[in-house]
Amino acid sequence: VAMPDGSIVLMGGYDGGVKNDVWRIMPAGSSDQNPSHTYTMPGTYSVALQAFNAGGYNSTRKTGYIQVSSAGWDGTTCTVITTPGTYRMLGDIQGTPGITCIEIRSSDVTFEGNGHTLNGTLDNLGMRVSASPAVISNVSVRNLTISNWDSGIDYENVTGGAIDNTTVLFSETMGVTLGTSSSVVLTNVNASLNWVGIGVIEGSDYNTLTHVTASRNDAVGLWFYAARNNEVKSGTFDQNNGPGVSLDGQSNNNTLSGNTANFNSHGIFIEANGNGFPSSYPVGPSNNNTIVGNIARNNTESGLYLVESANNNRITGNTFTNNRIGVHFNATAGSISGNIISNNNASSNNYHGILFSNATGNTLTANNVTANGNNGIFLFNKSRGNFLSDNIAALNGIDGFVVKTSRCNN
């Protein structure tokens, strides 16, 4: 009997006695007492059974009991995916030295890890999503752990899609990389104990990272390089040997909001030069970023550090406490100017609340810079033309405001 939802109810199993089993298989079935069906489309299917005998009947239903991956892959070995569809891991996979384990070269792919682990041998890539130089779109990776690869997940020339509920650990280079990729959404991603946790690099624009964790990495938690118009919110970037978050090499118009960056070298780090990263993208100042409502505490250097050249950034409503320096602007190779620093708490730092060196034309308003070990606000080394108003600088170890070898500040 064909049902309205497309499933088949089968009356079968009669053996000459009082017995009649009813199978219902999505979306079709067989008339055998032990039915079989070959599924031609990937998906999740349910099955139900009613069994009858002289004593009555009983029934059971298994929702989502049958999971079908795209044809041509058994779900337990490394593979190359070249056609759209849903691909499901059916067990943990141990990688083979020298090869990328999962390669996705097609658009419109969902890779479902089902909570399994892709384990490597500290070389090559765990997963590569790319048909470079062609652009592919709408590739999503979910519910997966990737461990012990040179690089965990690498999206290159991808637009759209998502990485969700995925953990990447013990990568020799980057845990998760978005390279020249746009409009990818990362949610509940944990990229820890790698060299770099998450890298958003080389023209990766308009990506969204929400509730991601990048902690205890050897270098940087979250690294932007030549990346623009990205948004990071409610993330955790703690206990990295380098910065918690770094905006580097012309990373412009990004927004960081509601994140924590604690117990790193620097909490949030904005610079120009790229630290020698080999790239065709030129280095340059990181400008017009919005840093709002973040917490950066207990960092060994600064809560927020702008170095070399960084201009017209808006820094408001953040907490920079219990660091060596709360906020440090240090124009060593260019200009640090036009930045707005307002309504931040830069208190209880070991040395200074806010320190400017050769920084010009910035605005500091309504900041709380109290109870720092040395000075509340310290302008020195040719810091000129900065505007200060309504800041609270009390109970500091030396002075509230200090201006040294600097002039024309208001």
Side-chain angles (χ1 to χ4, degrees):
V1 180
M3 303 301 290
D5 62 4
S7 65
I8 302 295
V9 173
L10 299 165
M11 308 295 293
Y14 180 72
D15 63 357
V18 184
K19 181 179 179 182
N20 196 359
D21 296 341
V22 179
W23 290 92
R24 179 170 178 154
I25 298 176
M26 294 285 293
S30 164
S31 60
D32 295 338
Q33 183 174 345
N34 298 305
S36 64
H37 176 71
T38 300
Y39 290 89
T40 60
M41 293 295 293
T44 300
Y45 300 91
S46 300
V47 61
L49 168 65
Q50 280 189 330
F52 296 82
N53 61 22
Y57 73 93
N58 206 341
S59 63
T60 186
R61 176 180 175 84
K62 299 291 187 180
T63 301
Y65 187 69
I66 300 171
Q67 294 185 339
V68 181
S69 294
S70 294
W73 185 51
D74 64 2
T76 60
T77 57
C78 297
T79 191
V80 178
I81 296 171
T82 58
T83 56
T86 299
Y87 296 79
R88 302 177 187 276
M89 285 180 66
L90 302 180
D92 295 346
I93 298 176
Q94 177 61 51
T96 301
I99 68 168
T100 296
C101 190
I102 304 295
E103 292 194 56
I104 300 176
R105 302 176 182 171
S106 171
S107 298
D108 301 314
V109 168
T110 297
F111 189 92
E112 171 58 60
N114 281 328
H116 295 299
T117 297
L118 190 62
N119 193 52
T121 57
L122 295 177
D123 67 346
N124 225 295
L125 282 77
M127 175 179 289
R128 184 170 189 262
V129 180
S130 178
S132 188
V135 176
I136 59 175
S137 61
N138 192 31
V139 176
S140 294
V141 177
R142 299 184 179 127
N143 304 317
L144 175 64
T145 295
I146 296 181
S147 182
N148 294 300
W149 294 89
D150 182 68
S151 181
I153 302 176
D154 186 356
Y155 273 49
E156 182 181 349
N157 286 342
V158 179
T159 180
I163 304 174
D164 188 22
N165 290 321
T166 292
T167 297
V168 185
L169 307 171
F170 304 114
S171 301
E172 292 285 280
T173 55
M174 294 193 203
V176 177
T177 307
L178 302 182
T180 322
S181 294
S182 63
S183 302
V184 179
V185 177
L186 274 65
T187 308
N188 297 318
V189 171
N190 182 359
S192 299
L193 300 168
N194 308 284
W195 179 60
V196 171
I198 301 171
V200 182
I201 64 173
E202 297 188 310
S204 290
D205 305 330
Y206 297 100
N207 301 287
T208 303
L209 288 71
T210 305
H211 294 294
V212 301
T213 298
S215 297
R216 294 180 291 163
N217 295 285
D218 289 337
V220 183
L222 171 61
W223 181 39
F224 287 100
Y225 178 78
R228 297 168 293 274
N229 298 292
N230 300 283
E231 183 176 9
V232 184
K233 49 190 177 181
S234 303
T236 302
F237 310 101
D238 296 343
Q239 295 181 285
N240 299 284
N241 289 339
V245 180
S246 181
L247 283 75
D248 200 353
Q250 296 194 70
S251 290
N252 303 325
N253 299 298
N254 301 288
T255 299
L256 309 180
S257 63
N259 304 285
T260 64
N262 304 323
F263 297 99
N264 308 284
S265 63
H266 301 277
I268 300 170
F269 186 89
I270 303 177
E271 68 165 351
N273 77 2
N275 284 319
F277 180 68
S279 173
S280 60
Y281 284 79
V283 298
S286 294
N287 301 332
N288 300 301
N289 298 288
T290 298
I291 315 296
V292 57
N294 303 282
I295 297 173
R297 292 174 172 153
N298 298 107
N299 296 284
T300 58
E301 296 298 331
S302 303
L304 172 69
Y305 188 38
L306 274 66
V307 64
E308 296 166 347
S309 184
N311 307 296
N312 302 313
N313 298 285
R314 185 171 71 91
I315 302 153
T316 185
N318 303 280
T319 299
F320 304 116
T321 58
N322 298 104
N323 308 284
R324 183 173 181 269
I325 299 171
V327 176
H328 188 183
F329 285 12
N330 188 14
T332 59
S335 67
I336 292 181
S337 65
N339 300 285
I340 298 174
I341 308 96
S342 64
N343 297 103
N344 301 284
N345 181 4
S347 299
S348 301
N349 295 285
N350 294 337
Y351 286 84
H352 309 293
I354 298 175
L355 171 63
F356 279 13
S357 176
N358 196 26
T360 62
N362 301 283
T363 300
L364 289 80
T365 60
N367 299 285
N368 181 3
V369 285
T370 60
N372 295 286
N374 285 1
N375 302 300
I377 297 176
F378 185 17
L379 309 182
F380 90 114
N381 190 24
K382 302 179 182 178
S383 291
R384 302 176 304 275
N386 299 289
F387 177 79
L388 289 73
S389 69
D390 300 317
N391 299 286
I392 300 173
L395 303 174
N396 294 286
I398 300 178
D399 286 308
F401 298 92
V402 175
V403 179
K404 184 177 180 180
T405 63
S406 300
R407 61 182 181 178
C408 300
N409 297 287
N410 299 307

